[in-house]
Amino acid sequence: MQKTKLIDFPAIKTACSRCSLQQLCLPQGLNSADMERLDQLVKRPRPLHRGEYLFCQGDRLKSLYAVRSGSFKTYSLGEDGNEKILGFHLPGELLGLAGLGHGEYRAAASALETASVCAVPFDRLQDLADHLPSLNHQLHKIMSQRISRDQEVLLLLGDKSAQERLATFLLNISSRFAERGFSAREFNLSMSRQDIANYLGLTLETISRTFSHLQKDGALEVDRRLIRIVDRECLANIAGACFTDASSATH
Amino acid sequence: MQKTKLIDFPAIKTACSRCSLQQLCLPQGLNSADMERLDQLVKRPRPLHRGEYLFCQGDRLKSLYAVRSGSFKTYSLGEDGNEKILGFHLPGELLGLAGLGHGEYRAAASALETASVCAVPFDRLQDLADHLPSLNHQLHKIMSQRISRDQEVLLLLGDKSAQERLATFLLNISSRFAERGFSAREFNLSMSRQDIANYLGLTLETISRTFSHLQKDGALEVDRRLIRIVDRECLANIAGACFTDASSATH
DNA sequence: CGGGCACTTGAATCATCTCAAGGTTTGTGG
DNA sequence: CCACAAACCTTGAGATGATTCAAGTGCCCG
């Protein structure tokens, strides 16, 4: 009874064709007829709260997910039980791609804050892609970009110092916020220091000290999880100039 | 005149349908008619010598390459000029995938030893994939597996010690050799200590010391680049058991 | 045979980690 | 609304694993 209301209401409000994330997401480059067909596959489950799982490592892969709002972390669990964070995911980004070749999710995904997703049943997406070259190419593109993004992280973890890693991380987050229409200068991190440390291959204490240091250098102002980039150039220098964001606005 | 001979001869000898790498490579899962169509796209350029480039970072992406024999490294060049190695590539593996979303290669690839490849013009591959779902799905699968393989490397670089990294690396190489019909116990590394160090985010000296240490512990016998795994279990324990290869033969 | 390159080993240094204590914010129940 | 606990963050001091610098060996190729 009530169920119908609860499902339909957000479905109408968030059709791909009206979604502000269209250009960052799966429908990018699709004409409106194709987008409509994609839209029919998409389910929009109830929002998740901080800490809830979207999927777990080893679950059978049923759907790919596009982040609609909020943010997620994906992480792999070692048998010693401790997690290693593989990535943070903002609206418009796809989750579950690594599982596609194995039929099961390769990592767990959990919400860092209240968050919602679009779920796309994978087999139906693949069927549709078989008939819509434009969708298929977009899928190729997204997967390829994911490969090159992961490789940038390899670069980061390869031989950079704590300062370089954190500075690069912040610039990366900043430009991803900017792409989504938020401020590149000032933003709230949705993840804890512990999560950042884990992701960057450092300890919580080192992250904390490095934040203090960047602040003392005048590159940042830090207030708990609120970050303001005061001197972007300084930060970029510290990052080792390996990060050149020609595009990002100072919005 | 002579050109014709030189091109045709290897082309006949190495059609996908007769290639021993079929099951590891792009044609996996294709029926013979489809494989034939793929085969018609494939060019097989002259072999490369040690140190020669297959492509450079920033080159316009024309083809994907499948390693046919020998091995390659892919690496990204920082503007400070030093390289960061992103991966080592054995026969059957695809090169160039990260560039597909950008239209240009994101890293350089050079031969570690005399090596040959199959070149697949990317736009024609994409056209063909648009009409052959089985090929398309295989492409998805390969890209997805690449994402999850890269993520395993993130795990490795995240918080492992030098010993854990090198042990994991060797077990990984070993099982990849085994998949290709070579010995899992004894093999020649095609890359230098410097390359291994770079890849694992360590220094040359640390790699050298760690080899000595693993040898002293009785896990390995090392003679220059010839590695014999003496005590696989010991090596796996050192690797942190994060590496479980249920399948690999002791061939 | 000689020169160069790849590798090994040692000793000192340094960045990050570990351990430990203290502070601040947030949420909860009285 | 306050008191308290839990979670999160900061800072310090000492330990440690990897790096750097330096010397030396052995192998390959001309």
Side-chain angles (χ1 to χ4, degrees), chain A residues 75-86 154 157-158 165 194-204, chain B residues 151-166 168 200-202 238-240 242:
Chain A
Y75 53 94
S76 170
L77 292 158
E79 56 235 32
D80 39 357
N82 51 18
E83 61 184 52
K84 165 68 194 170
I85 295 176
L86 298 169
L154 290 187
L157 296 184
R165 291 184 202 195
Q194 177 63 68
D195 282 344
I196 299 173
N198 182 317
Y199 177 63
L200 295 178
L202 298 166
T203 57
L204 180 164
Chain B
Q151 291 189 344
E152 282 166 26
V153 182
L154 290 187
L155 244 83
L156 188 61
L157 296 185
D159 49 2
K160 304 258 188 253
S161 70
Q163 283 212 20
E164 291 172 312
R165 292 184 202 196
L166 185 56
T168 306
L200 295 178
L202 299 166
I238 291 169
C242 81

Side-chain angles (χ1 to χ4, degrees), chain A residues 158, chain B residues 84 156-157 162 165-166 169 195-202 207:
Chain B
K84 165 68 194 172
L156 188 61
L157 296 185
R165 292 184 202 196
L166 185 56
F169 172 73
D195 282 344
I196 298 172
N198 183 317
Y199 177 63
L200 295 178
L202 299 166
I207 294 299

